[in-house]
Amino acid sequence: MSNLRLFVMSILAALLIIACQSNSVQQSPNSQSLTDCRTIQHALGEACVPTAPQRLVSLDDTTLADALALGVPSVGASLIEGRLVADYLASRSSQMILLGKSEQPNLEKMLRIKPDLIIGIDLFSKPIFKQLSQIAPTALGNWNGLPTWREHFNFVANVLDKEDEARQVWDSYEQRINKIRAALGNQLQDVEISIIYTYDDTITIDAENSFAGSILADIGIRRPKAQAAVEDGIIILSEERIPEIDADIIFVSVYDTESEQILEDWQQKPLWNQLKAVQAGQVHIVDANIWRAGDPMAADLVIDDLFKYLLKAKP
């Protein structure tokens, strides 16, 4: 079979799949107009969402976690890069159907679980918003990186009509911030802390306005000048910039075993071994699934780690 014929057949097959999916979406029973709903504003306009949704689909990890923090489980969820549900969410999501990648969820599978509400972020779901809206009322929040994690939680609370519960979540967060601040006292007033993240073959700095960085800022923990707030909260780190992470204490959030390998590679570099935290034995490995999560439950676990490492840290 010639290459040209194979190419033409592939195009025809792709068109057939798209057509079948489109027809299925159009037949969705949940695309009918709702009478018991309220109108909310979202990143792509407005949507009339059910007043008491029973079958939520979350389109990304953060939205899933935000809804769970508000007491609303999801019947289905797509996750960033199609990864597994983080451990701290798994016990609350045992009945949830996984729908693949946030960027390209399985719409046929989504149809079968009959959601009555879909929530996500515009970054991943804007290209398929029309199809999602044909399945169920869909609301997408603005997402400008992890610096906007609090805004997205409040958006999810608004869509789910759980704003009272959201206030309780924030009150609990503030109480924990105050508790660790009081426990630390003046212990860290002259100490700087770095946060870096290893994933795949890269290492980045979590800046002052990142998810974990914002928690440290709330506590009043100092960061190196090179880690000040930036637009998306992330600073790409190259080998020659290793001195920019120099601090008294370094937290390294590691995503998986491949990420551990890149960290091990960097630990062999001369510049790494010149860092104050390295020489003082103050480099702590933490779970990137938590420190990079961007939701209130993960924030609570980050504070747990800070209690664990800082209250015994004597740099």
Side-chain angles (χ1 to χ4, degrees):
M1 186 178 293
S2 69
N3 290 337
L4 177 60
R5 188 177 180 186
L6 277 173
F7 175 75
V8 172
M9 291 182 67
S10 299
I11 293 296
L12 291 173
L15 291 173
L16 179 62
I17 291 171
I18 293 171
C20 290
Q21 188 173 64
S22 176
N23 287 337
S24 297
V25 170
Q26 290 172 5
Q27 293 165 6
S28 167
N30 293 309
S31 63
Q32 298 172 1
S33 298
L34 293 172
T35 55
D36 188 15
C37 67
R38 60 191 180 87
T39 301
I40 57 97
Q41 302 297 317
H42 66 99
L44 300 185
E46 62 180 31
C48 202
V49 301
T51 53
Q54 301 296 311
R55 299 188 63 77
L56 172 67
V57 160
S58 298
L59 295 172
D60 57 87
D61 311 52
T62 304
T63 301
L64 168 67
D66 285 343
L68 285 171
L70 295 163
V72 181
S74 296
V75 296
S78 52
L79 303 176
I80 297 173
E81 298 182 356
R83 57 194 182 197
L84 298 175
V85 180
D87 288 346
Y88 74 99
L89 302 176
S91 63
R92 301 185 184 205
S93 309
S94 58
Q95 303 300 315
M96 185 180 71
I97 304 298
L98 294 177
L99 302 171
K101 298 180 179 180
S102 297
E103 303 87 337
Q104 193 175 13
N106 187 322
L107 299 183
E108 295 286 345
K109 207 170 180 180
M110 191 184 298
L111 271 169
R112 288 197 292 271
I113 62 176
K114 299 179 179 178
D116 59 3
L117 176 62
I118 302 171
I119 308 180
I121 59 179
D122 56 349
L123 176 66
F124 297 124
S125 304
K126 184 176 180 179
I128 56 171
F129 173 69
K130 184 176 180 180
Q131 290 167 289
L132 294 169
S133 297
Q134 289 176 323
I135 296 174
T138 301
L140 303 181
N142 288 302
W143 183 260
N144 294 305
L146 286 171
T148 56
W149 69 278
R150 300 169 203 254
E151 288 85 348
H152 188 64
F153 174 73
N154 291 335
F155 169 75
V156 173
N158 176 39
V159 176
L160 294 174
D161 199 17
K162 294 286 185 182
E163 288 165 314
D164 287 343
E165 289 82 353
R167 279 189 284 274
Q168 293 175 16
V169 168
W170 286 128
D171 286 346
S172 176
Y173 173 80
E174 289 299 326
Q175 289 170 12
R176 293 218 73 200
I177 291 293
N178 291 334
K179 186 175 181 179
I180 190 169
R181 188 186 293 142
L184 288 168
N186 296 326
Q187 181 175 337
L188 299 179
Q189 66 178 2
D190 297 321
V191 173
E192 289 183 333
I193 293 181
S194 280
I195 310 171
I196 62 173
Y197 169 63
T198 66
Y199 178 70
D200 199 8
D201 61 350
T202 62
I203 291 185
T204 57
I205 294 173
D206 282 6
E208 192 174 59
N209 60 334
S210 65
F211 169 59
S214 70
I215 297 171
L216 265 61
D218 287 344
I219 296 170
I221 294 173
R222 297 174 55 207
R223 304 292 305 277
K225 290 182 180 178
Q227 301 181 16
V230 293
E231 183 176 352
D232 57 3
I234 297 172
I235 301 167
I236 304 296
L237 194 62
S238 55
E239 181 180 341
E240 62 271 18
R241 296 180 66 182
I242 285 178
E244 294 182 19
I245 68 174
D246 202 9
D248 301 286
I249 301 171
I250 299 175
F251 287 102
V252 185
S253 61
V254 179
Y255 180 65
D256 54 18
T257 53
E258 292 183 358
S259 307
E260 291 174 0
Q261 183 59 55
I262 182 68
L263 176 61
E264 290 177 7
D265 291 344
W266 279 48
Q267 287 173 327
Q268 304 305 313
K269 302 188 184 297
L271 287 175
W272 178 272
N273 290 302
Q274 293 176 17
L275 299 174
K276 285 185 295 185
V278 173
Q279 295 178 353
Q282 291 290 349
V283 178
H284 305 295
I285 309 298
V286 292
D287 187 350
N289 289 290
I290 294 170
W291 281 61
R292 270 296 185 92
D295 67 83
M297 288 193 292
D300 204 43
L301 295 172
V302 170
I303 296 172
D304 282 349
D305 281 341
L306 294 174
F307 267 107
K308 175 181 176 182
Y309 293 110
L310 298 186
L311 286 172
K312 69 175 184 180
K314 304 291 184 184

